[in-house]
Amino acid sequence: MDVLDAGRSERPGTVVADTTYGPVRGHGDGAVVAWKGIPYAAPPVGDLRFRSPRPPEPWSDVLDCAVFGAMAPQGHDTSVPLDPSMRIDEDCLTVNVWAPPPDGEPRPVMVWIHGGAYCLGSSAQAVYDGRLLVERGDIVLVTFNYRLGALGFLDLSSLSTANRTFESNLGLRDQIAVLEWVRDNIAAFGGDPGAVTLFGESSGGGSITTLMTVPRAEGLFHRAIVQSPPATSVYGAERAATVARRYLELLDLPAEGAGDLIGMPVDDLVKAGDLLVDEIPTRVPGTLAMAPVVDRDLVPHYPVAAFQKGLSHRIPLIIGSNKDEASIFKFMRSPLLPVSSEAVQQMFTGLAEDNPDLSPERLAEIAAAYPDATKSRGVLALSRDAAFRMPVLWVADAHSRHSPTWMYRFDHATPMLKAARVGAGHATELPYVFGNFGTLNPDPTFWLGGRKSTLEVAGRVQRRWLAFARHAVPAALDGSKHWPPYTEGTRSTLLIDNHDSVVVDPDHDMRIAWGDEVMGFS
C-alpha cells in the first residue's frame, strides 16, 4: 500500500486503516491514534492447536479496535502485574498499533516483544502502553500477544504421528507472523516497513537473540534492542522430547495418547504447564521448562553459538542487562532463577554434566571470582552472570565483529528499590523505556522520593532508544554522554544511572573468570 494512502478519518477521533485482511478503526485524542486487538492470525484452536499460525479470515466491515484482544492462556502468577479484568482465551493472536495520525510521511517502526519467562505476560500490561513513547519519538509502535507456556514453547514435535502433527517453536512462529504482518501492513498506519526496530526484554529479548539467527526472520527487522536476554536458555531436541513426555505424565496421558491434547480443555493444559514450569528449574536450577528449541527447522543452531560463528543477521544492535538482575527473583521467591547457595551449586553441577570439557578446576576458577559465593550477595551475582551478564557479553562480542553494536548496563534504582534491596533488578528498566510509571497497584516506586531524577533518566533512555530506531545510532543529541560502539578492543559500556557514564570493560574480572566458551544446558 502506498503510504500516501495510509489511514482515513471516519469520524472525529477515529482513523480507519486498510490492512490486507480488512479495514480497522483506531481511536485517538488528536496526538496519537491507537488500534488495539487487530487479528494477525487465525484463532489457534481445534486442529490449529500446536500448529503454525495461519492467516485470519478476511473481513469487509470496519473492525472496531478500541480494546485489547484476549491475553494468551497462562497461569495466574502474581509476579506479573496483569489487569484481572483482562479476558484469557486461546484466540489471542492480536496486534496493537500506536501512531500519530497518518499524514503521508513514513515513520520509523518499533515492535515490542513482552517478556515473562516464555509462559507469562501480555501486551495489554499498562507498562507497555505506547502513547508516551509515540508522542515523544514521532514513531509507530507495535505490541502483540503470542502463544505462551505449553501452547507456545512446549515442543511436542517428537510425539507427531501420521495422523497428528505437532510443530515446534510456536511462540517464535507467532512472532515471525507479526513481523510479516508489519512488513505487509504497517504503511497503512503511517509506518516505514523498511525501518523496523525489534525490541524486547527478558524472554522477549531472548526471542530476539534467537530470531537474529533464524533464516526465515532475516530482513523482517532492521535493528534490534535486546534488554536482559536469557540468550543461552535455548534447548536441544532430545531435552525437549524428555520435557514433552513429562508433560504427558502430568496429564496422565501415554505417549500414544498425545493426540488427545487437541481436544482437552485449555485450563487443563495450562495447569499441567504451570506444574512443569515450577518443577524443571527446581530439579535442574538455571533451566526453564519451556523455551525456544533447536529444531534444525525454524531454529537451525544454538543462537549464541550461531552468533560466535558469524551467523547472526547483519543489523545494528543495542544489548545490555541490569546491575541487580537476580534480586527480584529472590524477592518473589521464584524458582526461575537459582538464588540460594544450594541451587547455585546444583546449577554448577548441571553445567559440568552438560559441558564434559568443563573441568572441576575451571568451575573453581569461576567461583573464585565471587568472594561472597556462599553468601546472598555472591549467590545473586553468580546467578545474574550465568543467566544474563555473560550471555549478553558473548552475544555482543560476536556480533560486534561484523555489525555496529552498543552495550549498556542499567544501574539506576529509586531510593525505595534500594531500600528494599531490589536495586536495578530484572525488568525494573521497563517504565524508563516506555515512560509509564505508577502502573502497579499499589506502586511503591517513589514512596521514598526520587521522582525527578528518575524521570530525567527515563528521558535519556527514551531519547537514545528512539534515536536508534530513527537513525540506527543511539545518539541522544541532547548533551547526554556520548555512547561509543562496543568492540572487543574497548568493550565500551554505557552505565545508565543518575549521571550516565561510559566505562571500558566494566566487567573485566567476571568476564575473564568465565572465559569465552559458551556454557549452557541442552
Side-chain angles (χ1 to χ4, degrees):
M1 175 179 296
D2 190 330
V3 74
L4 294 177
D5 296 329
R8 62 183 186 274
S9 294
E10 183 190 43
R11 58 176 182 259
T14 68
V15 177
V16 173
D18 293 312
T19 76
T20 52
Y21 301 113
V24 292
R25 179 187 299 116
H27 297 259
D29 60 7
V32 175
V33 181
W35 292 261
K36 300 176 181 178
I38 306 171
Y40 68 85
V45 299
D47 286 339
L48 294 185
R49 183 184 275 179
F50 300 113
R51 299 300 302 272
S52 293
R54 304 293 197 270
E57 286 291 326
W59 58 90
S60 55
D61 293 337
V62 176
L63 182 66
D64 191 57
C65 296
V67 298
F68 290 108
M71 54 193 277
Q74 58 194 273
H76 299 280
D77 188 307
T78 57
S79 65
V80 176
L82 297 172
D83 184 344
S85 68
M86 281 298 300
R87 187 167 55 91
I88 296 178
D89 197 289
E90 275 191 273
D91 183 5
C92 63
L93 302 184
T94 58
V95 65
N96 319 297
V97 180
W98 284 265
D103 57 7
E105 183 68 28
R107 292 172 167 87
V109 180
M110 298 185 75
V111 179
W112 173 256
I113 305 182
H114 73 74
Y118 299 109
C119 62
L120 296 166
S122 164
S123 63
Q125 288 171 243
V127 72
Y128 304 139
D129 185 274
R131 179 172 301 277
L132 292 177
L133 198 60
V134 169
E135 284 182 345
R136 166 158 277 176
D138 193 34
I139 60 158
V140 175
L141 177 68
V142 175
T143 69
F144 63 94
N145 290 341
Y146 56 99
R147 281 173 284 182
L148 302 168
L151 293 164
F153 288 94
L154 179 68
D155 182 2
L156 300 172
S157 60
S158 61
L159 303 173
S160 294
T161 66
N163 298 321
R164 176 63 60 188
T165 298
F166 295 96
E167 291 179 270
S168 58
N169 290 308
L170 297 170
L172 289 179
R173 295 177 192 272
D174 292 344
Q175 294 167 8
I176 291 172
V178 168
L179 292 169
E180 292 172 338
W181 183 93
V182 167
R183 177 196 62 198
D184 297 339
N185 292 282
I186 206 62
F189 302 85
D192 181 354
V196 175
T197 298
L198 189 59
F199 69 135
E201 182 268 344
S202 192
S203 57
S207 295
I208 296 173
T209 52
T210 300
L211 290 173
M212 287 180 69
T213 68
V214 170
R216 185 177 151 192
E218 189 167 12
L220 293 177
F221 55 104
H222 312 98
R223 26 204 174 269
I225 303 173
V226 179
Q227 301 169 206
S228 304
T232 52
S233 294
V234 180
Y235 306 109
E238 183 176 342
R239 188 263 195 185
T242 299
V243 173
R245 290 193 296 272
R246 176 58 184 151
Y247 183 71
L248 292 187
E249 290 174 3
L250 292 171
L251 288 166
D252 294 322
L253 284 177
E256 59 272 17
D260 292 349
L261 294 172
I262 304 304
M264 291 187 71
V266 68
D267 285 349
D268 292 348
L269 301 182
V270 170
K271 288 175 183 176
D274 284 351
L275 292 173
L276 206 58
V277 164
D278 288 339
E279 178 183 292
I280 295 295
T282 300
R283 289 170 49 188
V284 188
T287 65
L288 299 176
M290 288 167 271
V293 171
V294 183
D295 55 9
R296 308 299 179 188
D297 174 25
L298 186 74
V299 181
H301 310 284
Y302 287 93
V304 176
F307 272 93
Q308 293 194 323
K309 293 175 182 176
L311 300 177
S312 57
H313 305 330
R314 267 55 175 171
I315 60 173
L317 169 69
I318 291 176
I319 190 168
S321 61
N322 294 1
K323 183 179 180 181
D324 307 300
E325 293 278 7
S327 62
I328 199 75
F329 295 92
K330 183 178 180 66
F331 183 79
M332 296 187 307
R333 299 180 180 178
S334 169
L336 293 173
L337 206 67
V339 291
S340 69
S341 57
E342 296 79 12
V344 167
Q345 184 55 50
Q346 284 182 270
M347 178 181 71
F348 267 64
T349 300
L351 281 170
E353 292 174 352
D354 201 58
N355 298 267
D357 297 333
L358 194 61
S359 68
E361 293 77 18
R362 186 75 187 82
L363 288 172
E365 289 176 4
I366 296 174
Y370 300 83
D372 299 323
T374 60
K375 300 177 182 178
S376 179
R377 180 177 177 179
V379 165
L380 293 179
L382 254 171
S383 188
R384 171 201 67 201
D385 294 345
F388 299 106
R389 190 74 61 77
M390 282 311 305
V392 161
L393 288 172
W394 287 326
V395 167
D397 280 353
H399 195 69
S400 68
R401 293 168 196 157
H402 58 70
S403 297
T405 302
W406 288 266
M407 171 79 79
Y408 75 87
R409 194 180 77 198
F410 186 81
D411 289 6
H412 190 262
T414 64
M416 183 63 196
L417 289 181
K418 290 178 180 177
R421 297 186 179 181
V422 171
H426 189 65
T428 58
E429 87 285 7
L430 290 175
Y432 296 75
V433 172
F434 285 89
N436 298 320
F437 292 91
T439 60
L440 303 177
N441 186 23
D443 194 309
T445 305
F446 300 121
W447 283 358
L448 296 180
R451 179 182 295 272
K452 182 176 184 295
S453 60
T454 293
L455 295 181
E456 289 173 352
V457 174
R460 292 198 304 273
V461 169
Q462 290 164 42
R463 286 190 292 272
R464 292 186 189 279
W465 268 220
L466 290 165
F468 183 74
R470 185 170 294 278
H471 305 294
V473 175
L477 303 177
D478 61 355
S480 299
K481 183 73 178 181
H482 173 59
W483 186 1
Y486 179 96
T487 68
E488 289 180 286
T490 62
R491 293 193 165 87
S492 296
T493 302
L494 180 72
L495 305 188
I496 301 173
D497 208 334
N498 283 336
H499 300 284
D500 292 351
S501 59
V502 174
V503 177
V504 172
D505 202 4
D507 299 308
H508 175 271
D509 293 344
M510 178 269 293
R511 180 178 58 78
I512 295 300
W514 282 85
D516 295 329
E517 62 267 39
V518 174
M519 302 176 198
F521 297 89
S522 62

